[in-house]
Amino acid sequence: MSVLFKNRKVQWFVVMLLAAGTVLLSESLLPSASKLTVPVVSKEEPSAPAPDMQPADRGKSSEKQTQEPLSYRIAEYHMNVAYTPESRQLQGQQTLTWENPGTVPVQEIYLHLYPNAFASKKTTFMRESGGKLRQDEATADSTGRMDLLSVKTADGEDLTPRMAFVQPDDGNKDDHTLLKVPLLKPVGAGERVTIKTDFLVKLPEAFARMGYVDDFVMAGQWFPKVAAYERAGTRGRTEPGWNLHQYHGNSEFYADFGLYDVKIQVPANYTVAATGFPVKPAVTENGTKTYQFYADDVHDFAWSASPHFVYVEEPFSTPQIPGMKIKLYLDPNHQELKDRYMYAAKKALTRYSQWYGTYPYSTLSIVVPPPGGNGAGGMEYPTLVTAWGASDKNPDLDLERVVVHEIGHQYFYGLVASNEFEEAWLDEGFTSYAEDKVMEAEFGASPNLPVESSFITSPNTLKQNAWAYTGHDQYAENVYTRGKLVLKAIEKQVGTKTMDRIMRTYFQKWEFKHPSTKDFQNVVEEVTKTKWDDFFNEYVYGSMMIDYTVESIRVKATGSKGTGPYESTILIAKRGGNSPEVPIQFHFADGTVLDKTWDGKESSIEFKLTHTTPVDWVRIDPNYSLILENKHINNFMQTEVNTKWKIRWNLGIIQFLQAIFGWVAW
């Protein structure tokens, strides 16, 4: 999910204010120094047949169903759901068949009831988030819930008296997002059990990935969803068992692969976008329209509907993608921007398939929510992503960036299927890393890594539960930004070609298999044939950043009359993690520049330099090659200044502003 894009404009404004203040203050402290034009797509004349009028994708459907499964399909869902706009409710029926993938009998099954996160201010999600996610705040109408009207076995036996809500993470009895359903008899290894449910969902006003905006609806995490069951060996697990967590303020999702057969009934004037592909044309009768979608080898199913969608469809293929359809469901406010959305999607799919592996599905749908719909925007689901809401008629490059980012999730969330509860960086950090590569290659938008690293003010371990971070800001700066910077730091050490091989090997080895951080480390070591324990212990399992500092500069004349030559003694200290190479630049008063490299192993090092003139300043990492260095302010020191704190301001003028003014493309 994208959490950073909307903050960047605010961050830019704040940093520019700080920069301006720095310049003004420094003047009193320091010595003076000698839019893309696109054709209009009319709603009355769409460039593709309306999705409800298209013939079924029968060739692809029958071909996929005769192929060997790409994943271990543990769950099978058959669902019917009807949306009533007047009540903002989903009325659903579900038949879930679950296979025990483990080696021991299972006595109960667990269901995620995610809409209950919005039932009150007392739920775990609302307590932890404070009713805010990204820049979106809950309103008085941002309440929702899921009621299970019946839960029965395939034979019709009632299971509701046996059920109970559980709160394994925090014991919050007001949280009803995880349900335990004891079974009438155990499910043995490799055996299957079928549960039938009737359920009712009251949708909230769009907030935190789901809900409605006027007559637009985003149905994400909308059905009773079986929890993930991990086999022995998965993510280092020694015994098979359920992976059980509530819905938290920071966490996203984790589930097993399966197949989905879903019928969706909406008013007759609505168009539906959904995971997977339609198996037959929509049927209209009695003022309603019923769609039927099918998807397999996916671990979630989402859909969206609106009477206002402007539908655009284009076929797409590359050497790595034999053939698919890209489908846009545009809010009318953005119908003239369809070429930008389509271009971003094609470039993202092309690059990701080249770098990592093929996109195995027949469709990719992009939903553009209406103005005010960012609560449903910037989110990923299998074969379906949402862009930002269409408030801005002439958006900047964030339009492309969010599309590129969310399509990146098709790989690290959708196909690799990391555990976003416990190791969110394996999705968000990896996707942010891949996003930057596409944005730089296709749109010329290079990241400004020194500035990004400076935002890491509260570094924390990357391998921990998402809700263990202190608030959403710490979660985002670690899981997204710091996670990405860790990957960039590995790339810096091994080189771009080797890093490309690492990422491709990781994706192709762990596609459909739910890897762990340790699994990624093993791939790094396998490709590089080098042990990486020290790096991972400091920056991945640990919470360190790089922090090398110029501690002091002492100069004394060695000539007989207090003149040159001069001996300059410089103390460099390490206050953070290790770097195999620490570049240091020494500048002498006569303009001579001396570059040295320190291996950074010890806690400090002292350089004694003799020259005809004294050292007048020292700079660590002059080219910003230390990706994980987040305290650039102490990398620079001048010899002759009035007070120590004025030394530090010099960096703000000479070096840091250089980074800031290069941030405009970030």
Short mmCIF file of all heavy atoms in Angstrom, two decimals, residues 383-412:
data_model
loop_
_atom_site.label_atom_id
_atom_site.label_comp_id
_atom_site.label_asym_id
_atom_site.label_seq_id
_atom_site.Cartn_x
_atom_site.Cartn_y
_atom_site.Cartn_z
N THR A 383 -4.48 -8.67 -8.94
CA THR A 383 -4.94 -8.26 -10.28
C THR A 383 -5.75 -6.98 -10.28
O THR A 383 -6.31 -6.61 -11.31
CB THR A 383 -5.73 -9.38 -11.01
OG1 THR A 383 -7.07 -9.44 -10.52
CG2 THR A 383 -5.05 -10.73 -10.89
N LEU A 384 -5.83 -6.28 -9.14
CA LEU A 384 -6.59 -5.03 -9.08
C LEU A 384 -5.87 -4.06 -8.15
O LEU A 384 -5.51 -4.43 -7.03
CB LEU A 384 -8.02 -5.28 -8.60
CG LEU A 384 -8.96 -4.07 -8.55
CD1 LEU A 384 -10.40 -4.52 -8.83
CD2 LEU A 384 -8.92 -3.36 -7.19
N VAL A 385 -5.69 -2.84 -8.62
CA VAL A 385 -5.09 -1.80 -7.78
C VAL A 385 -5.95 -0.55 -7.85
O VAL A 385 -6.72 -0.36 -8.80
CB VAL A 385 -3.64 -1.47 -8.22
CG1 VAL A 385 -2.77 -2.71 -8.17
CG2 VAL A 385 -3.60 -0.83 -9.61
N THR A 386 -5.79 0.30 -6.85
CA THR A 386 -6.49 1.59 -6.88
C THR A 386 -5.47 2.71 -6.94
O THR A 386 -4.41 2.65 -6.30
CB THR A 386 -7.40 1.77 -5.65
OG1 THR A 386 -6.61 1.78 -4.46
CG2 THR A 386 -8.43 0.66 -5.57
N ALA A 387 -5.79 3.74 -7.70
CA ALA A 387 -4.96 4.94 -7.79
C ALA A 387 -5.46 5.94 -6.74
O ALA A 387 -6.36 5.64 -5.95
CB ALA A 387 -5.05 5.53 -9.19
N TRP A 388 -4.87 7.15 -6.75
CA TRP A 388 -5.40 8.19 -5.87
C TRP A 388 -6.75 8.67 -6.39
O TRP A 388 -7.07 8.54 -7.57
CB TRP A 388 -4.45 9.38 -5.82
CG TRP A 388 -3.21 9.19 -5.00
CD1 TRP A 388 -1.95 9.50 -5.35
CD2 TRP A 388 -3.12 8.64 -3.68
NE1 TRP A 388 -1.07 9.18 -4.34
CE2 TRP A 388 -1.77 8.65 -3.30
CE3 TRP A 388 -4.06 8.13 -2.77
CZ2 TRP A 388 -1.32 8.19 -2.06
CZ3 TRP A 388 -3.62 7.66 -1.53
CH2 TRP A 388 -2.27 7.69 -1.19
N GLY A 389 -7.52 9.24 -5.50
CA GLY A 389 -8.79 9.83 -5.90
C GLY A 389 -8.58 10.94 -6.92
O GLY A 389 -7.54 11.59 -6.96
N ALA A 390 -9.61 11.15 -7.74
CA ALA A 390 -9.48 12.04 -8.90
C ALA A 390 -9.79 13.50 -8.56
O ALA A 390 -10.44 14.20 -9.34
CB ALA A 390 -10.42 11.55 -10.01
N SER A 391 -9.31 13.97 -7.42
CA SER A 391 -9.61 15.35 -7.03
C SER A 391 -8.92 16.36 -7.92
O SER A 391 -9.50 17.39 -8.28
CB SER A 391 -9.19 15.57 -5.57
OG SER A 391 -9.87 14.69 -4.71
N ASP A 392 -7.67 16.10 -8.28
CA ASP A 392 -6.86 17.04 -9.05
C ASP A 392 -7.05 16.78 -10.54
O ASP A 392 -6.76 15.69 -11.03
CB ASP A 392 -5.39 16.88 -8.66
CG ASP A 392 -4.51 18.00 -9.20
OD1 ASP A 392 -4.96 18.72 -10.11
OD2 ASP A 392 -3.36 18.13 -8.72
N LYS A 393 -7.51 17.79 -11.28
CA LYS A 393 -7.71 17.63 -12.71
C LYS A 393 -6.40 17.53 -13.47
O LYS A 393 -6.35 16.99 -14.57
CB LYS A 393 -8.52 18.82 -13.26
CG LYS A 393 -9.97 18.83 -12.83
CD LYS A 393 -10.83 17.86 -13.63
CE LYS A 393 -11.07 18.36 -15.05
NZ LYS A 393 -12.02 17.48 -15.78
N ASN A 394 -5.34 18.07 -12.90
CA ASN A 394 -4.04 18.05 -13.57
C ASN A 394 -2.96 17.60 -12.58
O ASN A 394 -2.12 18.38 -12.15
CB ASN A 394 -3.71 19.44 -14.12
CG ASN A 394 -2.47 19.44 -14.99
OD1 ASN A 394 -2.11 18.42 -15.57
ND2 ASN A 394 -1.79 20.57 -15.05
N PRO A 395 -2.97 16.32 -12.19
CA PRO A 395 -2.06 15.85 -11.15
C PRO A 395 -0.62 15.81 -11.64
O PRO A 395 -0.34 15.72 -12.84
CB PRO A 395 -2.58 14.44 -10.85
CG PRO A 395 -3.26 14.02 -12.11
CD PRO A 395 -3.86 15.26 -12.70
N ASP A 396 0.30 15.86 -10.68
CA ASP A 396 1.71 15.77 -11.01
C ASP A 396 2.11 14.31 -11.17
O ASP A 396 1.26 13.43 -11.35
CB ASP A 396 2.56 16.48 -9.95
CG ASP A 396 2.37 15.90 -8.55
OD1 ASP A 396 1.88 14.75 -8.44
OD2 ASP A 396 2.71 16.59 -7.58
N LEU A 397 3.41 14.04 -11.08
CA LEU A 397 3.92 12.71 -11.35
C LEU A 397 3.49 11.69 -10.31
O LEU A 397 3.72 10.49 -10.49
CB LEU A 397 5.46 12.76 -11.44
CG LEU A 397 6.15 11.65 -12.22
CD1 LEU A 397 5.68 11.60 -13.66
CD2 LEU A 397 7.67 11.83 -12.16
N ASP A 398 2.85 12.13 -9.24
CA ASP A 398 2.32 11.17 -8.28
C ASP A 398 1.28 10.26 -8.92
O ASP A 398 1.06 9.14 -8.44
CB ASP A 398 1.70 11.89 -7.08
CG ASP A 398 2.74 12.23 -6.02
OD1 ASP A 398 3.91 11.85 -6.21
OD2 ASP A 398 2.39 12.88 -5.03
N LEU A 399 0.61 10.70 -9.97
CA LEU A 399 -0.33 9.83 -10.67
C LEU A 399 0.39 8.58 -11.15
O LEU A 399 -0.05 7.45 -10.91
CB LEU A 399 -0.96 10.57 -11.86
CG LEU A 399 -2.00 9.81 -12.68
CD1 LEU A 399 -2.99 10.78 -13.33
CD2 LEU A 399 -1.38 8.95 -13.78
N GLU A 400 1.51 8.79 -11.87
CA GLU A 400 2.26 7.65 -12.38
C GLU A 400 2.90 6.86 -11.25
O GLU A 400 2.93 5.62 -11.26
CB GLU A 400 3.33 8.12 -13.36
CG GLU A 400 2.82 8.54 -14.71
CD GLU A 400 2.22 9.95 -14.76
OE1 GLU A 400 2.31 10.66 -13.73
OE2 GLU A 400 1.66 10.33 -15.79
N ARG A 401 3.41 7.58 -10.26
CA ARG A 401 4.14 6.91 -9.19
C ARG A 401 3.25 5.94 -8.42
O ARG A 401 3.67 4.82 -8.09
CB ARG A 401 4.75 7.94 -8.24
CG ARG A 401 5.63 7.32 -7.16
CD ARG A 401 6.23 8.36 -6.25
NE ARG A 401 7.23 9.17 -6.92
CZ ARG A 401 8.51 8.80 -7.08
NH1 ARG A 401 8.90 7.62 -6.64
NH2 ARG A 401 9.36 9.60 -7.68
N VAL A 402 2.04 6.34 -8.10
CA VAL A 402 1.19 5.45 -7.32
C VAL A 402 0.78 4.23 -8.15
O VAL A 402 0.69 3.11 -7.63
CB VAL A 402 -0.04 6.18 -6.75
CG1 VAL A 402 -1.05 6.51 -7.82
CG2 VAL A 402 -0.68 5.37 -5.63
N VAL A 403 0.57 4.40 -9.45
CA VAL A 403 0.25 3.26 -10.30
C VAL A 403 1.44 2.30 -10.36
O VAL A 403 1.29 1.08 -10.22
CB VAL A 403 -0.15 3.73 -11.72
CG1 VAL A 403 -0.27 2.54 -12.67
CG2 VAL A 403 -1.46 4.50 -11.68
N VAL A 404 2.62 2.85 -10.55
CA VAL A 404 3.84 2.03 -10.60
C VAL A 404 4.04 1.29 -9.28
O VAL A 404 4.37 0.10 -9.25
CB VAL A 404 5.06 2.91 -10.93
CG1 VAL A 404 6.36 2.16 -10.70
CG2 VAL A 404 4.98 3.39 -12.38
N HIS A 405 3.83 2.00 -8.18
CA HIS A 405 4.01 1.38 -6.86
C HIS A 405 3.02 0.24 -6.63
O HIS A 405 3.41 -0.87 -6.25
CB HIS A 405 3.84 2.44 -5.78
CG HIS A 405 4.04 1.93 -4.38
ND1 HIS A 405 5.25 1.96 -3.74
CD2 HIS A 405 3.16 1.38 -3.50
CE1 HIS A 405 5.13 1.43 -2.53
NE2 HIS A 405 3.86 1.09 -2.35
N GLU A 406 1.75 0.50 -6.88
CA GLU A 406 0.74 -0.53 -6.60
C GLU A 406 0.89 -1.74 -7.52
O GLU A 406 0.64 -2.87 -7.10
CB GLU A 406 -0.67 0.06 -6.70
CG GLU A 406 -0.95 1.26 -5.81
CD GLU A 406 -0.58 1.05 -4.34
OE1 GLU A 406 -0.52 -0.11 -3.90
OE2 GLU A 406 -0.35 2.05 -3.65
N ILE A 407 1.32 -1.52 -8.76
CA ILE A 407 1.56 -2.66 -9.64
C ILE A 407 2.78 -3.45 -9.15
O ILE A 407 2.83 -4.68 -9.28
CB ILE A 407 1.71 -2.21 -11.10
CG1 ILE A 407 0.37 -1.67 -11.61
CG2 ILE A 407 2.18 -3.36 -12.00
CD1 ILE A 407 0.42 -1.10 -13.02
N GLY A 408 3.76 -2.76 -8.56
CA GLY A 408 4.87 -3.47 -7.95
C GLY A 408 4.41 -4.44 -6.88
O GLY A 408 5.00 -5.51 -6.69
N HIS A 409 3.35 -4.08 -6.18
CA HIS A 409 2.80 -4.98 -5.16
C HIS A 409 2.26 -6.28 -5.76
O HIS A 409 2.14 -7.29 -5.05
CB HIS A 409 1.67 -4.29 -4.40
CG HIS A 409 2.13 -3.37 -3.32
ND1 HIS A 409 2.93 -3.78 -2.28
CD2 HIS A 409 1.90 -2.04 -3.11
CE1 HIS A 409 3.16 -2.76 -1.47
NE2 HIS A 409 2.56 -1.69 -1.95
N GLN A 410 1.92 -6.27 -7.04
CA GLN A 410 1.48 -7.51 -7.66
C GLN A 410 2.55 -8.59 -7.54
O GLN A 410 2.24 -9.78 -7.51
CB GLN A 410 1.13 -7.28 -9.13
CG GLN A 410 -0.04 -6.36 -9.37
CD GLN A 410 -1.34 -6.88 -8.76
OE1 GLN A 410 -1.74 -8.02 -8.99
NE2 GLN A 410 -1.99 -6.04 -7.96
N TYR A 411 3.80 -8.15 -7.44
CA TYR A 411 4.91 -9.09 -7.34
C TYR A 411 5.22 -9.45 -5.89
O TYR A 411 5.24 -10.63 -5.54
CB TYR A 411 6.14 -8.51 -8.05
CG TYR A 411 6.03 -8.62 -9.56
CD1 TYR A 411 5.23 -7.77 -10.29
CD2 TYR A 411 6.70 -9.63 -10.23
CE1 TYR A 411 5.09 -7.89 -11.66
CE2 TYR A 411 6.57 -9.78 -11.60
CZ TYR A 411 5.77 -8.91 -12.31
OH TYR A 411 5.63 -9.06 -13.67
N PHE A 412 5.46 -8.46 -5.04
CA PHE A 412 5.96 -8.78 -3.70
C PHE A 412 4.85 -9.00 -2.68
O PHE A 412 5.07 -9.63 -1.66
CB PHE A 412 6.92 -7.68 -3.25
CG PHE A 412 8.12 -7.60 -4.16
CD1 PHE A 412 8.27 -6.55 -5.06
CD2 PHE A 412 9.06 -8.61 -4.16
CE1 PHE A 412 9.35 -6.50 -5.92
CE2 PHE A 412 10.16 -8.56 -5.02
CZ PHE A 412 10.30 -7.51 -5.90
#
